[in-house]
Amino acid sequence: VVDGLPQSQVHSITQDGRGFLWIVTKNGLSRFDGMDFINYGRKDGLPTNVLQSVLEDSDGRILAVSNEGISEYNGSSFLYYSPPEQFDSMIFSGALVYKGSILLLCNRDPGEPGIIVRFSKGVYSSFSDEIPGIRSIDIRNIKYDKPSNSLLMLDGSGHVYILRDTVLHKAGGHGYTDLQHIGDRARAKINDEFYRPAGTGLERDTEVFSGNDISVRPVGPAGGTLIVNNKGVSSAAIELPVYMLGYFVDRENVLWLATESNMFSLHTLAFSSFSDKDIGSKNIWSIACEGNGHVWLGSLNGDLIEYDGHRFIPHYEHLRLFSIVPSFYKGSRQMSDGSVWFATNMGIIRLDGGGFSRVKAVNHEAQVCYIYEDPVDGSVFAGTDIGLYRLWKEKIEFYGRAQYPEIGIVEGMTRLNDGTYLLSGHKGLVAFDLRKAVPVTDKILPEGITLTVAKDPVGGAWITSEEGLFYRDHLTGAYSPGLPEGTNRPANSIILMDSIHLMVGRGSDICIIDLEKFYSGEGSYFRIYDKTDGFDGSDCIDNGLVSDGKGRFWILTANRLVRFDPRDLKVNVKPPVMNVTGVYYQDDSLLWKRAAEGNLFYEIPRHLQITAGTRKLRIAFTGISTTNPEKVLYSYRLAGLSNEWSDHTGQRDVIYENLPPGNYTFELRASNADGIETPVPLMLPLRMMPALWQTLGFRISALIFSVILVIALTYLYFTRRQSRIRTSEKLRQELSNLQISSVLKQFDPHFTFNVINSVGALIMEGKRDAAYDYITKLSSLLRRAFNEGALVVRPVSDEIDFVSQYCELQKLRFNNRFRYSISVSSSVDKGTPVPRMLIQIFVENAVKHGFGDRPGGGKVEIELLKENDALLILVRDNGVGRQYATDKSFSDPGSGIMLVSSIFRIMNERNSLKSNLEIKDLFNDGLPSGTEVRIWIPDGYDFSFA
């Protein structure tokens, strides 16, 4: 129930053709894929939560049988077929599949004679009326035997009738009490004996059930013990703590038990285990096997226990050898002469035909951690806390810690092909030649504790440690990891199983290495067995692996003793049965919605259409392998998107995002725990439907619209461009005309008369050079005005030069009543382009409107600065101010300023950085004191009119 089963009382278990297990409980039905349960009840269309059985008809449809009738599974829920009026109020039971139809035993009340009803394609009919003679039988039970194609019927008097090929036969004998049906076979029962169909009668059968590789026979009161035979090689008597209601063996020969208290499965006979309660002691640290196959266990508490194959027997004889109770340590060993040497905290105890004795050669106060017998010369080594002992030909050699001060306590030892020894212990690996001990240093090896060491038949050495398993090459002496990265977890113990296999005890599993595959370079040279395979030990004890000499191995772990018989290991040759369990899509709502409701259970559609606008697509799947579902691995690809298969993964779904419209095929492969892969991938065709804007019609319409839009935009662009060109040319012409007009206006008769009079006065005064200079400036000014007539912009240096000449003429005109100053900062780039006459316009305004009629004249200050990556032009006068000039209505007020403003407005539309023109009045004590013009032109400003 804690795994998801709806209720603990399990009545029946069956498996459909897709690999799913269907479990009928007292309160609901469940579908199980080896990993997850999906439960069904009245909310899912069933007429009741209490069912009789589940069947799969010849069309593969799943049918649930209840007292109320038949319900059909549609892939996600059930459809109930109510019986017709003639069968109303009948109780339906004893359902079975018979020649493509469902037969049900029906009666009015339990225990009364019943009739057989046929159900086919949603229709109920009377089968008893179809076969002559059945109506006269007081039917109490029916079963179908597939091997003989026979329908067995049991009547109220204990007689069995056999229907075969529409002919009814009465089997000999009577007194039969029940009919049983498990798997494909049916049996008639008398007391504890079973009979199977044979011809027109029955013959005795000793098996309740036979699968491909396994047979089961219950014995004892209420079948409380199961005798399970595996391939005819080994058998086991399994004591059940619960009352059994039925058996089922699935397609992978996994045995399932329906009981009053949950559901149980037997996956393998290779592993069996014993807890501390079974053993009768705790803190077991020592294990060894005697020559007769008996297993001896010693604890830190001083308990010594013998397992004779049936029970655990405590022993106390050894205690007479000690004044206090000793503790047993990890390094005990069976010797070549059949005796057992136990490592303790007070020397070594020896067990042989004469009983228990102490090995006198080893200090009785030494803590013995390991015992090793050299297979070449028969010498015995004992690693202790005070040093290493060697017993050889009645000689005792002791290698104290002075031999190598940092050698630590030896916990493992093996003799290499060259006659030297490799020691493992608290200070790592040590090479020992009976004279000196030298630490083995290699960047691959762990720096800390190494635990045990073993040599394989080729000569390679294998070392366990807290950092994993390591291997020493017998030819080069080079070290390397013994298992691939990611798999090489801490290892505690190792043993040579036979000529080609090593077993490594680790934290929560064991690893078996195939040496032939290892030395031939195959990647699959190892296989790990953990809880999912039946090994339920935790933290294997150092030197805790022993062989009993009868093909079985004993594994001492921190929480239990595990017995392992590799002959009972079975390679699951059946690949997983693959199923797509759901296809879901996610749109803008971000909620997962089912793309196909139920139909994927029975068949894969030719093209599963996925709604347009799908953002994410999730495909859920499972590969059913009941032997070891946790180790099923998957590989998949989406043809049409990529031809590359994914890496193997245990994840049972995949998500694809933003798939473009089109046809795809999702392909799935699965492999079981033994690497057996499905030969043909499962294929799910998908069609991603296009959204409206992704359809061909929409694209054609969009293309036509785009063409029309492009034509319209092109026409609009060229129209506006021509308009801009005309505007630019008009503006250019207006500017040029205004610039010329601005200069020419200075040569009106009054201006010319004043200049000529001034020049004449200079001549009369004898200042001919000055007069000539003024005449030159006037002609130069006129010549530049006409020569540059078409120019819109010019360098700021030319503008300053022009303004300077203009101001000089104004000085001559006003008889020095006019003063001016021009200041250009050194940071100003004199090549910066500015609109032609830009500064002159504002100087002219200052002269004409500011102080043109003032007797005292005035002054104009012109200053060019660099400020914040921009050219700043200041034109400041001390005239009458803009208000006074407006009141006097001077002629042509501000036409030049309007032109400059227009230029900057148009140019600002074409530049990301904006120019600016600002004019403000100056005051002194509240009275007008002049005007200041501020012009900002950003660096890189473009005055192009194109």
Side-chain angles (χ1 to χ4, degrees), residues 29 136 169 209 224 236 319 449 480 513 553 587 668 692 741 795 835 903:
L29 174 66
S136 62
H169 306 276
F209 177 82
L319 296 179
I449 298 175
S480 61
I513 295 175
F553 293 85
D587 53 20
L668 176 70
L692 175 62
S741 175
I903 292 174

Side-chain angles (χ1 to χ4, degrees), residues 452-463:
T452 55
V453 60
K455 187 183 73 170
D456 62 35
V458 175
W462 300 79
I463 305 101

Side-chain angles (χ1 to χ4, degrees), residues 400-702:
R401 295 193 174 187
Q403 181 69 31
Y404 175 59
E406 301 299 328
I407 192 173
I409 299 176
V410 175
E411 295 202 2
M413 186 172 183
T414 192
R415 179 170 178 153
L416 301 177
N417 287 354
D418 61 3
T420 62
Y421 297 90
L422 191 62
L423 313 179
S424 62
H426 292 191
K427 299 296 181 179
L429 285 180
V430 174
F432 182 51
D433 63 0
L434 299 181
R435 293 186 301 275
K436 61 179 179 178
V438 179
V440 177
T441 57
D442 192 288
K443 62 181 181 179
I444 294 294
L445 293 174
E447 297 180 358
I449 298 175
T450 53
L451 300 172
T452 55
V453 60
K455 187 183 73 170
D456 62 35
V458 175
W462 300 79
I463 305 101
T464 65
S465 76
E466 294 177 348
E467 296 184 20
L469 178 69
F470 295 89
Y471 166 74
R472 179 187 182 277
D473 187 88
H474 64 290
L475 297 176
T476 65
Y479 289 86
S480 61
L483 291 170
E485 184 179 0
T487 305
N488 200 15
R489 297 192 292 270
N492 303 330
S493 190
I494 190 167
I495 188 174
L496 183 65
M497 301 176 66
D498 52 39
S499 61
I500 61 171
H501 291 99
L502 281 170
M503 179 165 57
V504 182
R506 311 200 304 173
S508 59
D509 57 47
I510 62 171
C511 177
I512 295 181
I513 295 175
D514 187 316
L515 295 171
E516 288 185 344
K517 291 183 178 180
F518 173 79
Y519 282 112
S520 64
E522 294 185 32
S524 58
Y525 65 90
F526 64 93
R527 171 73 156 86
I528 294 173
Y529 297 88
D530 56 20
K531 186 176 181 179
T532 64
D533 300 285
F535 175 78
D536 57 355
S538 176
D539 197 9
C540 296
I541 298 295
D542 311 350
N543 291 298
L545 304 179
V546 298
S547 171
D548 63 7
K550 296 184 177 181
R552 295 176 299 188
F553 293 85
W554 295 79
I555 306 164
L556 184 60
T557 74
N559 68 329
R560 60 187 60 244
L561 174 65
V562 179
R563 181 177 61 195
F564 171 50
D565 192 338
R567 295 168 298 183
D568 281 327
L569 286 176
K570 60 178 181 179
V571 176
N572 181 14
V573 297
K574 295 183 180 296
V577 181
M578 296 182 296
N579 294 270
V580 175
T581 55
V583 178
Y584 309 87
Y585 69 92
Q586 187 183 83
D587 53 20
D588 292 335
S589 68
L590 301 182
L591 298 176
W592 288 110
K593 302 177 182 179
R594 186 181 289 272
E597 193 67 36
N599 61 347
L600 292 176
F601 180 82
Y602 286 113
E603 62 180 349
I604 299 295
R606 293 184 61 183
H607 277 97
L608 180 61
Q609 294 188 355
I610 308 299
T611 303
T614 295
R615 298 178 59 183
K616 292 184 179 180
L617 181 70
R618 180 166 71 91
I619 303 174
F621 46 82
T622 185
I624 302 177
S625 177
T626 54
T627 299
N628 194 330
E630 292 89 346
K631 289 185 178 177
V632 174
L633 296 178
Y634 304 91
S635 180
Y636 50 80
R637 69 179 178 182
L638 188 62
L641 178 67
S642 173
N643 290 324
E644 296 295 324
W645 287 89
S646 71
D647 294 334
H648 287 85
T649 175
Q651 187 172 335
R652 301 199 297 171
D653 66 353
V654 60
I655 294 177
Y656 296 99
E657 297 188 39
N658 300 320
L659 289 175
N663 295 327
Y664 302 89
T665 300
F666 177 73
E667 300 181 36
L668 176 70
R669 292 173 176 167
S671 58
N672 64 22
D674 291 299
I676 305 300
E677 189 174 60
T678 48
V680 179
L682 179 148
M683 295 186 179
L684 172 65
L686 299 170
R687 177 176 293 164
M688 300 296 298
M689 301 303 294
L692 175 62
W693 58 87
Q694 295 171 318
T695 60
L696 179 60
F698 182 88
R699 290 177 179 176
I700 294 174
S701 300

